[in-house]
Amino acid sequence: MGSLDSRLARSLDMIAPPRPGPDRWDAIVASAEEASRNGRRRLVPAVPAASLVIAAVLLAVAWPFAGGPRGTIERAAAAIGTQPVLHVVFTQTAPNRPQLVSLSDGQPIQQALTTEIWFDANRDLKKTVTRLNGTVIDELLETRAGGFSTSGPRYTCAWIARHPSEATAAGVSCRADLQNGASPRDVPEQAPRLALALAGFVDRYQAALASGEAREIGEGSLDGRKVIWLRVTEAVDSPLRGGQDVAVDASSYEPLLVRPLDNSIPPTRIDAADTQPYHRSIFARPAVTYAPSVGEVVDRSLVTAVTASELLGRRALWLGEEWGELQLVATVREDLITRYPPASGREPSRSVGVAFEYALVADDGTTGRSTLTVRQSRSCEIAYRWSCTAYDPPDGTILTGPVGAPSVFRRDGLFVSISDRSGHTSPVDIARALTAVAEKG
């Protein structure tokens, strides 16, 4: 039954309490539809005359089509649809730490983190695709049988119990002593859950529109678009106390923004929200790519600046023998190893990087602890704090972290990492000051 039928059913049930059998409201509606198709009238159980008068008044109030366009609630319900799979796309500003900064002008660059969700509550299925600035960075399928992502199985306590040996090899455990045992145990997975920002919207919005629990509370504007605000109340046990307000476009009635009443979390901008028929392909298991998981520096040895360029196969980048109050105290060859998840079957890979270490040198020649280190390699290296994913900065930008944490950027075919423990100079200024080591001779 549609939302209107549901509202009429409740009105009639309040007037004449339902009795078991064929005279339920859905049976009445079905009979009326059949009679209409067959072109004949059909008798329905009698209702007291007084009740009919009250029902007529209620129907006049509830009926959204009489003498005008459909009501806001009915239009909002029609805009989202009634198919079993809810499809939602929303965009948020990516976390500002680490922060992406332009190397040309030093200005922060706001990154868009877009999440697309397909959710089928009846089948306990949820598919999430996350994009950073339009590039897919993760894909996750959640089911009653467990979770699966582009990096392999999602480690949950239920998965660890069923795969104790694999969990131990991966270094994950739900026990304080990190002991998973060797015998698999059948522990059920939790049903897929939605992020708190969308939980109330997904769980309640459709039902509230259909039942009449959503109500119009006013009008407003959002980025220059006229909107109508709807209020959706929450169940008593909901984590979103008091419910949510949903802004819908005043013309299309599509949801644009979800805002918790208690301001416990920031508003969530909705780019798209609709429902779709169920199809198995929507919930296909993501292809596993097995990104690098661990990077280490396994050996270090002193070299010259010229040798550093030879090791890299191109001119290394440095700050010279001196830079401000700092002096170059060591040029180091670093042997690197990158490991992959055990399930990938990939052997560890080895590579070489170089590091230029700078520190304060006292008048008596004693050297303090290195405060600035510039590392570089020919490829992205986990050991140098690169993620080797779409999170890494594109050309012309630098990903900056808090004081002491490495900042990374690319230049002249090199993957550069800057660690400045003093915090006196911005990573952008250090990156701009780097020059190529002079060629030999």
Side-chain angles (χ1 to χ4, degrees), residues 285-352:
R285 185 179 297 193
V288 179
T289 56
Y290 292 116
S293 56
V294 177
E296 300 174 272
V297 177
V298 294
D299 194 20
R300 305 178 85 240
S301 56
L302 294 176
V303 296
T304 65
V306 172
T307 302
S309 294
E310 294 172 351
L311 291 170
L312 295 172
R314 60 190 61 216
R315 293 168 68 184
L317 299 175
W318 69 340
L319 295 168
E321 296 287 349
E322 296 181 356
W323 191 67
E325 298 179 345
L326 301 178
Q327 294 186 32
L328 178 68
V329 295
T331 302
V332 185
R333 166 185 170 145
E334 296 186 323
D335 293 304
L336 312 174
I337 187 169
T338 300
R339 305 183 191 278
Y340 299 86
S344 69
R346 293 187 60 175
E347 293 294 323
S349 60
R350 297 179 180 274
S351 57
V352 174

Side-chain angles (χ1 to χ4, degrees), residues 92-416:
Q92 298 169 304
T93 301
N96 61 359
R97 279 291 180 265
Q99 187 175 66
L100 190 68
V101 177
S102 169
L103 282 171
S104 61
D105 58 17
Q107 293 300 308
I109 299 174
Q110 202 158 65
Q111 301 191 84
L113 192 65
T114 302
T115 304
E116 187 168 15
I117 297 174
W118 291 265
F119 184 67
D120 190 328
N122 293 329
R123 295 179 175 86
D124 285 334
L125 293 172
K126 177 187 170 189
K127 182 72 166 287
T128 304
V129 177
T130 307
R131 296 177 176 88
L132 182 65
N133 302 325
T135 301
V136 175
I137 57 175
D138 193 24
E139 189 174 340
L140 174 65
L141 173 66
E142 296 172 76
T143 75
R144 275 291 187 180
F148 310 91
S149 72
T150 52
S151 57
R154 186 186 187 198
Y155 297 132
T156 64
C157 291
W159 186 92
I160 292 171
R162 295 196 303 270
H163 307 84
S165 299
E166 294 94 324
T168 299
V172 295
S173 178
C174 285
R175 293 173 55 96
D177 60 7
L178 305 181
Q179 300 300 311
N180 296 318
S183 301
R185 294 177 291 114
D186 188 16
V187 176
E189 290 278 358
Q190 290 186 339
R193 295 181 177 180
L194 290 152
L196 185 58
L198 286 178
F201 175 76
V202 172
D203 295 346
R204 294 283 295 153
Y205 187 61
Q206 284 179 282
L209 291 175
S211 66
E213 294 174 85
R215 68 183 191 276
E216 183 178 342
I217 60 172
E219 298 180 350
S221 63
L222 188 65
D223 296 337
R225 298 172 68 174
K226 184 179 179 181
V227 299
I228 300 172
W229 285 98
L230 306 180
R231 179 153 294 174
V232 180
T233 57
E234 291 297 319
V236 175
D237 59 350
S238 170
L240 295 170
R241 301 293 182 186
Q244 297 172 309
D245 287 343
V246 180
V248 300
D249 185 274
S251 298
S252 67
Y253 293 87
E254 296 174 345
L256 302 177
L257 186 80
V258 178
R259 182 179 64 193
L261 294 183
D262 62 1
N263 296 316
S264 57
I265 51 178
T268 299
R269 178 63 60 92
I270 305 296
D271 299 326
D274 55 53
T275 55
Q276 301 175 0
Y278 167 79
H279 197 280
R280 184 177 297 178
S281 62
I282 296 176
F283 300 101
R285 185 179 297 193
V288 179
T289 56
Y290 292 116
S293 56
V294 177
E296 300 174 272
V297 177
V298 294
D299 194 20
R300 305 178 85 240
S301 56
L302 294 176
V303 296
T304 65
V306 172
T307 302
S309 294
E310 294 172 351
L311 291 170
L312 295 172
R314 60 190 61 216
R315 293 168 68 184
L317 299 175
W318 69 340
L319 295 168
E321 296 287 349
E322 296 181 356
W323 191 67
E325 298 179 345
L326 301 178
Q327 294 186 32
L328 178 68
V329 295
T331 302
V332 185
R333 166 185 170 145
E334 296 186 323
D335 293 304
L336 312 174
I337 187 169
T338 300
R339 305 183 191 278
Y340 299 86
S344 69
R346 293 187 60 175
E347 293 294 323
S349 60
R350 297 179 180 274
S351 57
V352 174
V354 298
F356 293 94
E357 298 180 354
Y358 293 84
L360 290 171
V361 179
D363 294 339
D364 61 2
T366 58
T367 302
R369 183 182 178 186
S370 173
T371 60
L372 173 61
T373 303
V374 179
R375 291 185 167 90
Q376 53 213 274
S377 58
R378 287 287 300 274
S379 59
C380 66
E381 298 291 342
I382 302 292
Y384 285 175
R385 299 301 187 268
W386 287 80
S387 70
C388 303
T389 69
Y391 281 111
D392 291 335
D395 290 336
T397 66
I398 182 171
L399 201 61
T400 64
V403 174
S407 300
V408 296
F409 73 100
R410 289 188 288 187
R411 178 175 156 189
D412 300 341
L414 294 173
F415 291 74
V416 185

